[in-house]
Amino acid sequence: KFSGQNVDVSGKIAKLEGAVARLPTKAQVDKGISKAMDIGSRNAADLGDLARKVDTVKAAVDASRDKIDGFDKVVQQHVDRAKAQAKGVRATIKGEGKLFKRFANKLDDAP
């Protein structure tokens, strides 16, 4: 109910004008939006750069894995060759041992 008594209309209007004066203008809002969009664009560009760097690192890691896999195959070939050579050496030593045993037996049998 408005009776007109004890109402400071001028004071209320002054408060409203003060509140409105504190609101940003359209130009200020547009400037803030433009600034935020510039920051967003820079962040998007930075993220794009980061994504490219991550892709470069991933490619290097994949290439390293391929090299390691290749080295693993080469190492395995050398291991297999060394095992075969060791087996051959053992057979040779065993054969020579039998030969020496025969000589020793012949020497023992000799008068």
Side-chain angles (χ1 to χ4, degrees):
K1 295 180 181 179
F2 181 73
S3 65
Q5 296 176 345
N6 299 325
V7 175
D8 181 13
V9 175
S10 296
K12 291 201 181 271
I13 291 173
K15 284 182 184 180
L16 285 173
E17 287 175 342
V20 169
R22 288 189 301 267
L23 293 174
T25 64
K26 181 178 181 332
Q28 290 170 326
V29 169
D30 289 346
K31 184 178 176 182
I33 290 171
S34 176
K35 186 176 177 181
M37 290 184 71
D38 288 344
I39 291 170
S41 294
R42 281 194 309 268
N43 288 343
D46 290 345
L47 286 173
D49 290 343
L50 181 60
R52 283 187 289 283
K53 288 177 183 176
V54 167
D55 288 343
T56 300
V57 169
K58 282 177 67 176
V61 167
D62 289 343
S64 295
R65 283 187 181 144
D66 291 343
K67 285 181 183 178
I68 289 170
D69 289 344
F71 288 142
D72 184 44
K73 291 175 186 172
V74 169
V75 167
Q76 189 60 48
Q77 289 171 349
H78 286 290
V79 167
D80 293 343
R81 188 177 313 134
K83 284 181 180 178
Q85 289 173 347
K87 187 176 180 181
V89 168
R90 274 191 234 112
T92 302
I93 291 171
K94 188 176 181 182
E96 288 176 357
K98 289 179 182 177
L99 179 64
F100 285 123
K101 187 175 181 181
R102 273 193 251 152
F103 284 140
N105 286 340
K106 289 196 184 244
L107 288 174
D108 286 342
D109 291 343

